[in-house]
Amino acid sequence: MAAPPATQVATSLVQAAPASAPEGEAAAQLLRYADRVRGLTPAELSLEIAALGDPGGVPERQLQLSLALMHLNQPVETARALGLAQRVANSPAPEAAPLKPLARLLVQRFMEQRKLEEAMDKQAAQLREHQRRIDQLNERLEAMRAIERSINNRAPAPAAPAPRAP
């Protein structure tokens, strides 16, 4: 009996694809930068963002600024970080090529963060509306209690004389 033919093993997405040296090093540098920025205090983070300034068309600086902005946890800065990462992800420049996978990952993360921020804003608006409604109902309840107290505090009206029988 003949042995079954050898089947080809499909490459797994779990296994790391070999990265080219420039791509791997560029991503590693940015990941190290992200790790460093993550530990900064808000004041230090503001100084870092100011030091980065306008990244211009330099993909690495765009992603650095994007990584720094994401730690501010402000919707406007998340939008700005998203824009910077999208510029790198969509850039035709050859120096952006090794950074594109990381930029696409950041774009995905920022989009999810924006959705969460929008959901939180919506919930906060609903909470404010519910609190406003509760306050209105409490005011009405207190007004009704005041009316009830004023009715209970009135002196009883004199009884009408009973009619006499003939």
Side-chain angles (χ1 to χ4, degrees), residues 5 38 46 87 95 105 129 147:
R38 186 179 51 85
S46 295
R87 285 197 318 200
E95 60 270 11
L105 177 69
E129 178 59 28
I147 292 169

Coordinates of all heavy atoms in Angstrom, one line a residue, residues 5 38 46 87 95 105 129 147:
P5 N 0.0 11.1 0.3 CA 0.9 12.2 -0.2 C 1.0 13.2 1.0 O 0.1 13.4 1.7 CB 0.1 12.8 -1.4 CG -1.3 12.3 -1.2 CD -1.3 11.0 -0.5
R38 N 4.6 56.2 27.9 CA 3.6 55.7 28.7 C 3.8 56.0 30.2 O 2.9 56.2 31.0 CB 3.4 54.2 28.6 CG 2.3 53.5 29.3 CD 2.2 52.0 29.0 NE 3.5 51.3 29.2 CZ 3.9 50.9 30.4 NH1 3.2 51.1 31.5 NH2 5.1 50.3 30.5
S46 N 3.2 66.8 28.3 CA 3.0 68.0 27.6 C 4.4 68.6 27.1 O 4.4 69.1 26.0 CB 2.4 69.0 28.6 OG 1.1 68.6 28.9
R87 N -2.2 59.4 8.3 CA -1.2 59.9 7.3 C -0.1 59.0 7.0 O 0.3 58.8 5.8 CB -0.7 61.3 7.7 CG -1.7 62.4 7.6 CD -1.1 63.8 7.6 NE -0.1 64.0 8.6 CZ 0.3 65.2 9.1 NH1 -0.3 66.3 8.6 NH2 1.2 65.3 10.0
E95 N 9.9 55.9 3.0 CA 10.3 55.9 4.4 C 9.2 55.5 5.4 O 9.4 55.1 6.5 CB 11.0 57.2 4.9 CG 10.2 58.4 4.8 CD 10.3 59.1 3.5 OE1 10.9 58.6 2.6 OE2 9.8 60.3 3.4
L105 N -2.3 49.5 12.8 CA -2.7 49.1 14.2 C -3.1 50.2 15.0 O -4.1 50.2 15.7 CB -1.5 48.3 14.8 CG -1.8 47.8 16.3 CD1 -2.8 46.7 16.3 CD2 -0.5 47.4 16.9
E129 N -29.3 64.5 31.6 CA -30.7 64.7 31.4 C -31.5 63.9 32.5 O -32.5 64.5 33.0 CB -31.1 64.1 30.0 CG -32.5 64.1 29.7 CD -33.2 65.5 29.7 OE1 -32.4 66.5 29.4 OE2 -34.4 65.6 30.0
I147 N -47.7 72.2 50.0 CA -49.2 72.4 49.9 C -49.9 71.5 50.9 O -50.8 72.0 51.7 CB -49.7 72.0 48.5 CG1 -49.2 73.1 47.5 CG2 -51.2 71.9 48.5 CD1 -49.5 72.7 46.0

